[in-house]
Amino acid sequence: MLDVDRGGADPAPPVSNRTTRRTVLKAGGTLLLAVIAPALLPNLAHAAQILAVRVWPADDYTRVTLENDSDLKASHFVVRDPDRLVVDIEGLELNPTLKQLVAKIQSNDPYIKQVRVGQNKPNVVRLVFDLKEAVKPQVFTLAPVGTYAHRLVLDLYPVNAPDPIAALIEKGEWSNDPVNPPALLPEWQSALKSESVPPLADYPPELKTGPDETPGARWDPKADPKLEPKPEPKSDRVPQVTRMITIALDPGHGGEDPGAIGKSGSREKDVVLAIAKRLKAKIEQQPNMRVMLTRDADFFVPLNVRVQKARKVQADLFMSIHADAFVESTARGSSVFVLSEKGASSTAARWLANKENSADQIGGVNFKGQDRQLTSVLLDLSTTAQINDSMKLGKAVLGEIGGINKLHRGAVEQAGFAVLKAPDIPSILIETAFISNPEEEAKLTDDAYQDQMAEAVMKGIKRYFAKNPPLSKNRMT
């Protein structure tokens, strides 16, 4: 250091001291660089690693997911004539996993022809998607959740979004012309009268819940001496159906969200899609009925979009199909749930609703691109009338399901399921069985059981409409 009192510098130290000082300074500098370099130059210290690439093509949109070990920063732009999407990802070096994206693009993808992947410059990878038509891309990141690490998501939406009604018209499944009531209702009425067990809605309240509400309890109304079903009201007036009935089927989960996974590896999203397709085929065999699936393949649909799809086709019923899991593999039985405005009917129902409502986080929703206020308004418009109608539908379906599988509880349960919040459509959520129970997982993957479950739900739909014929659209509020 400088000696200000003597007005000059310290005399030169001996040679041995100078050598020691240089050695110490050199070592100290190396140590300091080692400490500050990662903070100042993160990309040089550790380039992000792509862990997995996935592509989910669908008519609605195509999703590309890059799962990685850190949060990535990406920019994108669209090029016309021909249509291309260019995505630049910073802090990334090209690796074999990312190169797999090229082979992941399917020839039948509605929106992507092919993709090119390359190292644009050091620490920047460029993806170029050659498109089949113009798209409106959404590029966003997702924080780690569940079994997933960080994800960079590219959603390619068509500029002209598909119209669900137009899709039904194209398939010959949509018409607003009046229908002939006798073609539909008498068959249902005769089927209803031929059944020996009265509908669940007619049982006294104390007999609807099963013994002590214990899981797995199964109540047999025919064996109960206290049962006194209400007589059918006599009336010469047969309710008339004056239009087509539209049913929205919602196979839960899909795409990035596998749902619950059984011990044998069965995925909920696959099981419920298979059951929904079987039910769809049965509904289409009924006179004057049509059906819309919120998803017909393996892709994810946000919860509020499922509701919006049902409303766009003016659905008369909304039925969400699931096969959930519980922390204990002994849990078993089928259940039916409807919306609740006053809280869940049980702790288990609340737990399940919270789990199902987290699907958006797992499936991956770009919340920045949504109008949260509009979504909130839609989900808060549910009415007491909707819940009452949903309860009637739920009881009709539960009564039929109880004939092929034990009921987890003997009554329709209620909780705040976001997917059931269509303000003007009776809506239920069906838990077909517990995929976490090895015995029930085997059932869920069995073709015969899937068909029996679809048939039971179909009978429940018939029972509901036989007692609650739909109003004509111009009389509905």
Side-chain angles (χ1 to χ4, degrees), residues 83-98:
D83 292 308
R84 285 157 289 163
L85 170 65
V86 181
V87 182
D88 288 334
I89 309 172
E90 299 180 18
L92 192 62
E93 295 293 334
L94 194 58
N95 71 352
T97 303
L98 185 53

Side-chain angles (χ1 to χ4, degrees), residues 200-221 224 226-227 334-336 345-346 391 395 398-399 406-414:
L200 189 62
D202 289 345
Y203 300 143
E206 64 273 13
L207 299 180
K208 296 179 186 177
T209 58
D212 301 325
E213 288 281 20
T214 53
R218 186 174 185 179
W219 167 56
D220 183 359
D224 196 316
K226 299 179 181 179
L227 178 62
S334 302
S335 305
V336 175
S345 57
S346 70
M391 185 65 77
K395 289 175 179 176
L398 188 69
K406 290 185 177 181
L407 298 179
H408 186 66
R409 290 186 184 274
V412 176
E413 294 204 76
Q414 293 183 263

Side-chain angles (χ1 to χ4, degrees), residues 215 263 324-332 351 408 434 436-438:
K263 288 189 175 181
D324 207 26
F326 195 63
V327 291
E328 297 178 359
S329 61
T330 54
R332 63 184 302 153
W351 179 87
H408 186 66
F434 279 88
S436 55
N437 182 304

Side-chain angles (χ1 to χ4, degrees), residues 133-144:
E133 64 177 78
V135 301
K136 296 184 293 184
Q138 292 186 14
V139 180
F140 57 98
T141 58
L142 296 170

Side-chain angles (χ1 to χ4, degrees), residues 71 182 208 210 313 385 456 462 468 472 474:
D71 194 13
K208 296 179 186 177
V313 299
K462 287 183 178 182
N468 304 276
S472 61
N474 60 3

